[in-house]
Amino acid sequence: MNPDNIQAQMQGSSVFMLTAMFWGEITIKEGRVEQSNFHDYRMMRLREMPKIEVVLAPSADSGRRGRARQASIAPAVCNAIFAAIGKRVRSLPLKNHGLTLA
């Protein structure tokens, strides 16, 4: 396995998870979905993206290294929000809670 490829995959999946956490939702208006394709889907911009540090730990199961591990991002961010402002976030997207990127 190429470590650079693993790092790129982990960073890319982090972009999609953070995007979903901040803005990802499907809205209905007059019984129809308002979003139709990617032009209606807000993605995180490069300038908004935090630094993602990927640490590769030695493992006997080398076949699983490249798989996305973004599931832990949402709980970590929500816990960080609680630690910073004392507000528990229990639903997404974060924009619906008055939270924005600084």
Side-chain angles (χ1 to χ4, degrees):
M1 297 241 163
N2 183 334
D4 291 338
N5 289 346
I6 297 169
Q7 182 174 6
Q9 183 175 6
M10 298 300 289
Q11 290 170 334
S13 66
S14 298
V15 172
F16 283 105
M17 185 59 173
L18 290 171
T19 292
M21 287 184 63
F22 278 96
W23 304 288
E25 73 178 332
I26 296 173
T27 55
I28 309 292
K29 185 176 180 180
E30 298 178 8
R32 304 189 102 177
V33 174
E34 292 185 293
Q35 297 75 23
S36 64
N37 210 325
F38 287 109
H39 69 281
D40 291 333
Y41 188 77
R42 162 86 157 89
M43 286 293 296
M44 183 169 274
R45 311 292 196 282
L46 186 59
R47 67 179 183 277
E48 298 168 331
M49 190 64 195
K51 180 182 179 198
I52 303 295
E53 183 178 346
V54 177
V55 177
L56 300 177
S59 172
D61 188 9
S62 63
R64 297 180 53 136
R65 286 190 181 158
R67 294 190 181 163
R69 303 285 187 237
Q70 71 268 23
S72 61
I73 294 173
V77 170
C78 290
N79 282 335
I81 291 168
F82 178 71
I85 64 173
K87 179 179 180 178
R88 282 278 180 211
V89 175
R90 301 199 186 275
S91 64
L92 298 174
L94 295 174
K95 70 174 183 165
N96 293 344
H97 296 277
L99 299 169
T100 59
L101 294 174

